[in-house]
Amino acid sequence: MRRPSWVPEGTDLDKPNAARVYDYYLGGSHNFEVDREMARKAIALWPELPQIMRSNRAFLRRAVTFLAERGITRFLDVGSGIPTFGAVHEIAREISPGAQVVYVDRDPVAVAHSRLMLADDPLSAVVQADLRDADLLAHPEVAGLLAAGEPVAVLLVAVAHFVSDDEDPWKLVAAIRDALPPGSALVLSHASLEGRPDQAEDHQKLYRMTPTPLTMRTHEQITAMFDGFELVEPGVVYLPQWRPDQPESVGEHPERMAGVAGVGFRP
């Protein structure tokens, strides 16, 4: 296979990658046939997966737009994947052309892709790190984003459910919260147990066979991650219900998107 210009040297083009599979779900072009084949197998088990992923991405777009319109110009996207198809810097800069974004991901393939794609963007940076890393906030790019004392929006979009209960995602989110300047925001979405109880166990079993097992949680457990933040209306709700562009876009069964989301400000 010929290596596209956005693919770093040394990338294994014959092995599927989760970030590129997600790009395929979103309808993007930064994926290969091996990624599409993996996605098709997952869709055979849960046909609504692409719709769920797109609903999650649509929430990201609405949340970033909401915060940019309120003057936030600094964004920390943890678990970012490949910044394609409506990436945070693109959304934010539609409102604030000088918006700064630091993308963080643990996957070396996603990081390599991201660094190559953003090499000419002086306002974006890419860090290889994990939400569970004790030194996450000490990385120079992350520390620099926080150092100015201006509000920062931390995006934990579809990432905390990859942290097990034993690893205590509530404690990890609280550590980030305590480092944020006043007026900062938390944007969080998370797989919900209540949304699709008929699919929850099978879905978690599927992810247990991958390097990134999934822990779906209750609405109460997810809401607890916003401790110390003041939730924005309508609170923690199913993905399509968070400030939809048009009320009719929510549909009759928003719970079928199998995830909840919210935004909160640090006082």
Side-chain angles (χ1 to χ4, degrees):
M1 181 187 295
R2 182 182 178 186
R3 186 179 65 88
S5 61
W6 57 271
V7 178
E9 293 284 356
T11 300
D12 186 348
L13 304 185
D14 298 316
K15 183 177 180 181
N17 173 263
R20 296 195 305 259
V21 171
Y22 182 56
D23 178 74
Y24 172 73
Y25 286 139
L26 297 177
S29 60
H30 291 77
N31 54 78
F32 307 136
E33 177 54 33
V34 65
D35 306 306
R36 296 188 282 273
E37 178 60 25
M38 178 178 172
R40 287 191 285 267
K41 290 178 180 178
I43 292 168
L45 296 173
W46 194 341
E48 291 172 314
L49 272 179
Q51 188 179 358
I52 292 170
M53 301 302 180
R54 292 171 188 174
S55 182
N56 186 67
R57 194 66 165 194
F59 160 70
L60 170 69
R61 175 185 56 77
R62 297 195 304 273
V64 170
T65 299
F66 171 81
L67 295 172
E69 288 176 343
R70 280 150 186 79
I72 290 186
T73 61
R74 294 168 179 260
F75 295 84
L76 176 62
D77 188 357
V78 182
S80 55
I82 303 173
T84 65
F85 206 74
V88 173
H89 68 283
E90 296 172 340
I91 301 166
R93 289 176 196 163
E94 289 181 3
I95 297 156
S96 178
Q100 300 178 50
V101 182
V102 175
Y103 292 103
V104 177
D105 204 281
R106 64 181 289 185
D107 179 0
V109 174
V111 169
H113 284 317
S114 301
R115 285 178 174 161
L116 185 60
M117 294 167 63
L118 296 171
D120 297 325
D121 184 345
L123 296 176
S124 295
V126 183
V127 174
Q128 184 171 350
D130 188 274
L131 176 60
R132 289 161 285 210
D133 292 349
D135 63 347
L136 169 61
L137 300 179
H139 282 269
E141 298 88 347
V142 179
L145 199 68
L146 297 169
E150 298 178 11
V152 174
V154 176
L155 313 179
L156 300 180
V157 177
V159 64
H161 49 228
F162 293 117
V163 180
S164 70
D165 287 347
D166 289 343
E167 293 167 318
D168 200 342
W170 301 275
K171 183 178 179 180
L172 297 174
V173 175
I176 293 175
R177 176 202 65 211
D178 292 345
L180 294 176
S184 294
L186 172 65
V187 177
L188 184 143
S189 67
H190 196 296
S192 166
L193 279 170
E194 288 99 342
R196 290 296 304 275
D198 58 316
Q199 291 276 15
E201 185 54 35
D202 286 344
H203 196 51
Q204 291 180 100
K205 283 181 180 177
L206 175 65
Y207 271 87
R208 289 188 199 116
M209 295 185 288
T210 75
T212 53
L214 179 78
T215 301
M216 302 175 80
R217 295 186 170 96
T218 66
H219 185 277
E220 182 179 5
Q221 290 174 315
I222 298 166
T223 301
M225 295 182 187
F226 284 96
D227 183 41
F229 293 91
E230 295 178 353
L231 278 167
V232 171
E233 289 294 334
V236 178
V237 293
Y238 290 114
L239 290 165
Q241 293 177 315
W242 196 89
R243 295 180 175 259
D245 295 327
Q246 294 90 28
E248 61 271 17
S249 68
V250 174
E252 295 182 2
H253 297 286
E255 75 281 358
R256 295 187 70 85
M257 293 302 97
V260 297
V263 174
F265 284 101
R266 184 183 181 193

